[in-house]
């Protein structure tokens, strides 16, 4: 949902502005870094809850959480540079593929 929201209208324009101004405003960089850290913490907690609920141990939930967030940031960095909008189907397909990829390696978490 957050990825979809960030690719639409004013939010996309704001993110483009933030990206372009980050070199001039260190506080923008700190805010973006904090946002990423928070996202990793939230995904880590979600993985831990799922691991506990499913009874499948997880050695370090922060590793797949960080991978997922950084995969999204990298894809988003490409997507917001495009002239044509990203379709919901394209976005959803990419997210599902990345989740499948990470879950396939779950035994190593």
């Amino acid at each position: 949902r957050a990825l979809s929201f960030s690719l639409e209208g004013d939010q996309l324009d704001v993110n483009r502005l933030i990206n372009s101004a980050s070199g001039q405003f260190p506080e923008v960089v700190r805010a973006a870094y904090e946002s990423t850290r928070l996202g990793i913490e939230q995904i880590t907690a979600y993985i831990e809850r799922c691991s506990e609920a499913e009874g499948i141990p997880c050695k370090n939930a922060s590793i797949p959480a960080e991978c997922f967030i950084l995969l999204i940031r990298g894809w988003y960095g490409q997507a917001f540079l495009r002239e044509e909008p990203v379709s919901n189907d394209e976005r959803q397909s990419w997210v599902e593929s990345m989740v499948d990829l990470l879950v396939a390696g779950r035994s190593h978490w």
Side-chain angles (χ1 to χ4, degrees):
R1 289 185 304 236
L3 186 56
S4 177
F5 176 72
S6 67
L7 287 167
E8 298 173 357
D10 290 343
Q11 188 63 38
L12 179 58
D13 293 338
V14 167
N15 284 334
R16 285 177 172 156
L17 179 62
I18 288 170
N19 188 59
S20 68
S22 64
Q24 297 171 317
F25 301 99
E27 61 274 12
V28 171
V29 175
R30 285 190 296 274
Y33 183 82
E34 180 61 20
S35 174
T36 299
R37 187 192 62 72
L38 180 60
I40 292 168
E41 286 180 5
Q42 291 171 338
I43 298 290
T44 298
Y46 177 74
I47 291 170
E48 289 170 342
R49 285 192 309 272
C50 290
S51 177
E52 185 177 315
E54 295 171 352
I56 300 172
C58 183
K59 293 178 236 175
N60 188 348
S62 66
I63 292 172
E66 181 177 9
C67 288
F68 185 68
I69 292 294
L70 295 179
L71 282 168
I72 288 174
R73 286 186 62 93
W75 183 86
Y76 181 77
Q78 288 295 102
F80 87 71
L81 294 173
R82 290 172 41 169
E83 290 183 31
E84 71 280 354
V86 175
S87 71
N88 286 335
D89 288 342
E90 179 183 357
R91 177 190 42 78
Q92 187 65 31
S93 175
W94 182 84
V95 169
E96 288 174 3
S97 295
M98 292 305 100
V99 169
D100 289 348
L101 179 66
L102 284 170
V103 171
R106 184 173 183 176
S107 62
H108 299 289
W109 297 358

